[in-house]
């Protein structure tokens, strides 16, 4: 049986310098993984702990993604784990009847959200999987999806992007499984992070909590634990793992 | 044709062993696409305990080229 041991692994976490991504990077590093973090935020990259390598990267740039992946491969010899966490939550109603001159969802903003949340996953995964196939690395790709992939009002673009991430995950798991490369996704619900607290007012958070069977928001570390689970269990492939306290039941 | 290789190719491509001949090419086998090529690579690597690099993989577009590639890798397929 092949088991990917975290303490012997090389991991790359996108959008890993802050928030949920940083929690995932910290969890993996705590288990002994050699963690490289890419993030658009140069200040956050500069503030990473010395146990992590940091690279400033726009994950929607194919050329830059290849360059950084090559640098990590040169430094560590391979990449065993890719965590596609980078993304930008975006909300805009499909129809805004209060704005009759621009009633419909802006197309350019739709495209930008798709690029940030879907194209980025394609670009990073293709850059890393090319190396996994060439080097015969039996690696794992974990993409951070969202409860919004089921369809969330006011989030046409974000929901479409995350549903696309789920579809790519299942497709890649079928294509790449024969090479020993597994692909999974983790779909968090509402997680108690500063961004959630700033995006949602207290009454909405209470409403979410009361509709969640566990009656609370999740913790970032619980998402990181889920990511580690789908990495280390060598028979989990093509799964989108909900981490939402039962909210979607 | 080496029976070990013929058996492997027959299984990968869903053919009968007697259909595996040196003149058989990718164009003759409908299911022989890029995904099937990956199945082929993984099967050959497991069966003959070797690692095929990208040029090897690209070169293998017929049974004869597979035989040649394995020979270059030091696999003894007999007469």
């Amino acid at each position: 049986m092949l088991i990917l041991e975290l303490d012997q692994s090389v991991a790359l976490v996108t959008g890993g310098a802050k928030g949920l991504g940083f929690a995932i990077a910290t969890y993996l590093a705590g288990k002994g993984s050699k963690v490289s973090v890419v993030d658009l935020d140069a200040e956050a990259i500069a503030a990473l702990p010395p146990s992590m390598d940091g690279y400033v990267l726009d994950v929607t740039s194919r050329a830059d993604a290849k360059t950084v992946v090559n640098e990590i491969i040169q430094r560590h010899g391979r990449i065993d784990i890719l965590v596609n966490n980078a993304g930008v939550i975006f909300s805009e109603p499909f129809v805004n009847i209060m704005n009759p001159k621009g009633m419909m969802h802006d197309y350019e903003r739709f495209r930008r959200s798709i690029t940030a949340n879907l194209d980025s996953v394609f670009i990073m995964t293709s850059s890393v999987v090319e190396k996994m196939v060439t080097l015969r690395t039996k690696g794992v790709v974990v993409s951070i999806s969202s409860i919004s992939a089921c369809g969330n009002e006011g989030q046409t673009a974000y929901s479409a992007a995350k549903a696309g991430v789920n579809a790519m995950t299942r497709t890649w798991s079928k294509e790449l499984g024969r090479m020993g490369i597994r692909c999974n996704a983790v779909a968090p619900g509402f997680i108690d992070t500063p961004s959630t607290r700033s995006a949602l007012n207290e009454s909405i958070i209470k409403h979410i909590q009361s509709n969640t069977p566990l009656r609370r928001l999740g913790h970032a570390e619980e998402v990181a634990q889920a990511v580690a689970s789908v990495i280390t269990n060598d028979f989990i492939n093509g799964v989108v793992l909900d981490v939402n306290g039962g909210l979607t039941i | 044709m080496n029976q070990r290789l013929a058996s492997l190719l027959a299984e990968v491509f869903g053919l009968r062993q007697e259909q595996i001949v040196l003149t058989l090419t990718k164009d003759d086998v409908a299911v022989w696409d890029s995904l099937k090529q990956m199945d082929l690579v993984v099967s050959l690597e497991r069966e003959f305990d070797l690692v095929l690099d990208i040029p090897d993989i690209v070169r293998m577009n017929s049974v004869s080229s597979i035989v040649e590639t394995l020979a270059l890798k030091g696999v003894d397929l007999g007469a």
Side-chain angles (χ1 to χ4, degrees):
Chain A
M1 183 167 61
L2 291 169
I3 295 175
L4 205 164
E5 301 287 358
L6 287 178
D7 64 356
Q8 294 164 28
S9 68
V10 179
L12 167 58
V13 181
T14 72
K18 294 180 298 188
L20 191 58
F22 183 67
I24 294 166
T26 301
Y27 190 90
L28 296 178
K31 296 292 183 186
S33 182
K34 294 187 186 76
V35 176
S36 294
V37 165
V38 297
D39 204 294
L40 197 55
D41 186 334
E43 280 186 26
I45 284 289
L48 285 172
S51 59
M52 299 178 197
D53 296 330
Y55 301 84
V56 177
L57 175 67
D58 176 353
V59 290
T60 66
S61 165
R62 286 184 291 167
D64 292 347
K66 279 184 178 288
T67 300
V68 167
V69 166
N70 283 334
E71 283 183 36
I72 295 168
I73 297 281
Q74 279 192 333
R75 185 176 171 85
H76 296 292
R78 67 187 194 281
I79 295 172
D80 301 298
I81 300 161
L82 168 65
V83 181
N84 286 309
N85 168 76
V88 183
I89 295 174
F90 177 68
S91 301
E92 178 174 340
F94 190 53
V95 180
N96 182 355
I97 203 163
M98 302 301 286
N99 183 17
K101 289 183 178 172
M103 189 184 293
M104 300 309 293
H105 193 303
D106 180 78
Y107 179 66
E108 293 306 321
R109 287 193 289 272
F110 174 83
R111 287 300 327 163
R112 280 200 293 275
S113 181
I114 294 291
T115 300
N117 294 297
L118 182 64
D119 293 25
S120 61
V121 173
F122 177 90
I123 288 166
M124 289 306 301
T125 305
S126 62
S127 298
V128 171
V129 166
E130 180 180 13
K131 297 296 179 185
M132 287 179 172
V133 168
T134 305
L135 298 170
R136 294 293 192 283
T137 307
K138 296 186 186 307
V140 189
V141 177
V142 183
S143 299
I144 302 302
S145 181
S146 167
I147 195 170
S148 298
C150 303
N152 194 26
E153 64 178 28
Q155 290 189 327
T156 296
Y158 189 69
S159 298
K162 292 301 186 181
V165 167
N166 292 356
M168 290 198 301
T169 295
R170 295 187 180 105
T171 301
W172 293 335
S173 71
K174 292 179 180 178
E175 280 197 29
L176 302 174
R178 51 175 54 81
M179 303 294 283
I181 299 167
R182 293 182 291 114
C183 296
N184 295 299
V186 169
F190 292 93
I191 307 301
D192 196 353
T193 62
S195 62
T196 300
R197 292 280 174 185
S198 66
L200 304 174
N201 65 41
E202 194 58 33
S203 66
I204 292 176
I205 287 176
K206 281 184 178 167
H207 177 74
I208 291 165
Q209 286 174 323
S210 67
N211 282 286
T212 302
L214 292 181
R215 300 288 188 268
R216 66 174 177 85
L217 302 182
H219 303 302
E221 189 177 73
E222 291 168 327
V223 177
Q225 285 174 336
V227 170
S229 294
V230 298
I231 289 170
T232 54
N233 189 317
D234 202 49
F235 207 52
I236 294 183
N237 188 36
V239 163
V240 178
L241 178 60
D242 291 329
V243 183
N244 60 28
L247 181 59
T248 51
I249 294 170
Chain B
M1 173 63 60
N2 175 277
Q3 287 304 302
R4 194 173 160 203
L5 178 61
S7 170
L8 181 150
L9 297 178
E11 185 171 338
V12 168
F13 296 124
L15 298 172
R16 297 188 308 278
Q17 274 200 45
E18 57 268 30
Q19 292 177 282
I20 307 298
V21 292
L22 285 172
T23 53
L24 190 74
T25 72
K26 190 170 182 294
D27 292 338
D28 302 322
V29 183
V31 298
W32 193 343
D33 58 10
S34 63
L35 295 177
K36 197 56 81 175
Q37 188 80 354
M38 285 204 284
D39 288 332
L40 172 65
V41 169
V42 171
S43 296
L44 290 171
E45 289 185 341
R46 279 185 188 153
E47 181 67 26
F48 297 106
D49 191 24
L50 50 81
V51 176
L52 297 162
D53 54 31
I54 298 299
D56 295 328
I57 295 168
V58 173
R59 189 188 307 123
M60 294 190 301
N61 58 8
S62 64
V63 172
S64 62
S65 63
I66 292 169
V67 170
E68 286 166 16
T69 302
L70 293 178
L72 287 171
K73 290 284 174 184
V75 175
D76 181 9
L77 294 173

